[in-house]
Amino acid sequence: MGSPIKNVAVVGGSGNLGQAAVRELVDAGFAVTVLTREGSTSTLPAGVAAKAVDYSSVESLTSALEGQDALVSTIATVAIAGQRPLVDAAVAAGVQRFIPSEFGINTRFLGKEPIGAILQGKVQTLDYIHEKSRQNPSFTWTGISTGLFFDWGLEYGSIGLDKSTKTATIFDSGNEPFQASNLPHIGKAIAAVLTHLEQTVNRYITIASFNPTQNQVVEIAEKLTGQKWAVKHLTTSEQQQIGAEKLSKGDYSAFSNFLRKRVYGDGAGLAVQGADNALDLLGLEGEDLEATLQAWLAK
């Protein structure tokens, strides 16, 4: 392995996950630089540097990455295909470790599921990273699958709870455990990868803050509020059909429908538990589901 990581560049540092990653990297003692677009007015935490770049220019990106030991990409799924210039620039600048924007569901075994069509940018980017790493052994990578962004999903409704009306949407039986992580926890995992270089070199790892079922989430919400919540039941087969209809019209919001089918469907088997959860490898612990829900309800 190369030298210890000191300088870390982050792409997408003003986004939801990016902000969490930047905070945790700073707290872990790394010198953090956020790459921004020309004219960006994003406000960064104290002590975090900013470098304006042209994301379509390998030359511009290479210049910005000179002296950086690691690169973390947290860009959104719709922009994933744009990571290829980042890869080329990271290799040219001598970056030791690249953590691409793999956060979310594990893209390494999508099979022929329709959601795979939307995630081809991720799949192809990681394949390209594999190729570049083989050609340049000093350029290494780590992919991190996190499951659903749980705390973010509570805020924006994708977990299916509405605290203002005390209503919940449950897909299928609601008894399927699903992989989920809070954004700050993902940030801690990113920082931990960069202090566990040998253990995570050229590996795809999976983490989860917890693996609840939808019914468990609703039960805890009812316990904490002291009220019975109204539950609406839907099927993931319907979600799959809705997604297929959307995608046939070029509507990529189908991703949300396909995602519900993938993670909530009875028998999905995507919970990440025991040795499959890399938290022990990274020196981290799981999180408290009830505490997460309590913090959300208290806002």
Side-chain angles (χ1 to χ4, degrees), residues 114-144:
I115 199 170
I118 298 176
L119 293 174
Q120 276 307 297
K122 280 192 172 188
V123 174
Q124 292 169 7
T125 294
L126 193 51
D127 289 345
Y128 187 64
I129 291 169
H130 285 176
E131 176 187 338
K132 288 297 179 181
S133 183
R134 285 193 296 268
Q135 295 170 355
N136 305 272
S138 62
F139 173 67
T140 64
W141 61 273
T142 305
I144 308 173

Side-chain angles (χ1 to χ4, degrees), residues 66-138:
E66 292 290 346
Q68 298 296 324
D69 303 312
L71 173 61
V72 178
S73 175
T74 63
I75 58 177
T77 297
V78 292
I80 292 296
Q83 289 186 113
R84 185 167 288 211
L86 282 171
V87 177
D88 292 337
V91 173
V95 170
Q96 292 181 47
R97 179 66 54 93
F98 184 27
I99 301 178
S101 188
E102 279 291 311
F103 314 103
I105 66 172
N106 191 322
T107 65
R108 293 289 91 185
F109 60 99
L110 293 174
K112 296 182 179 179
E113 288 191 43
I115 199 170
I118 298 176
L119 293 174
Q120 276 307 297
K122 280 192 172 188
V123 174
Q124 292 169 7
T125 294
L126 193 51
D127 289 345
Y128 187 64
I129 291 169
H130 285 176
E131 176 187 338
K132 288 297 179 181
S133 183
R134 285 193 296 268
Q135 295 170 355
N136 305 272
S138 62

Side-chain angles (χ1 to χ4, degrees), residues 175-241:
N175 291 323
E176 182 67 28
F178 62 92
Q179 176 193 13
S181 299
N182 291 328
L183 295 183
H185 205 218
I186 299 172
K188 286 181 171 63
I190 292 169
V193 164
L194 300 180
T195 57
H196 294 75
L197 294 176
E198 290 192 14
Q199 298 94 323
T200 60
V201 63
N202 298 340
R203 284 186 61 179
Y204 198 106
I205 62 174
T206 54
I207 65 166
S209 295
F210 28 63
N211 293 272
T213 68
Q214 296 170 86
N215 287 330
Q216 286 171 345
V217 172
V218 173
E219 287 168 8
I220 293 172
E222 290 179 335
K223 170 189 169 185
L224 292 172
T225 58
Q227 293 179 251
K228 193 71 177 174
W229 287 42
V231 176
K232 178 181 180 181
H233 288 274
L234 298 176
T235 69
T236 59
S237 59
E238 291 172 338
Q239 292 298 305
Q240 185 93 326
Q241 183 178 354

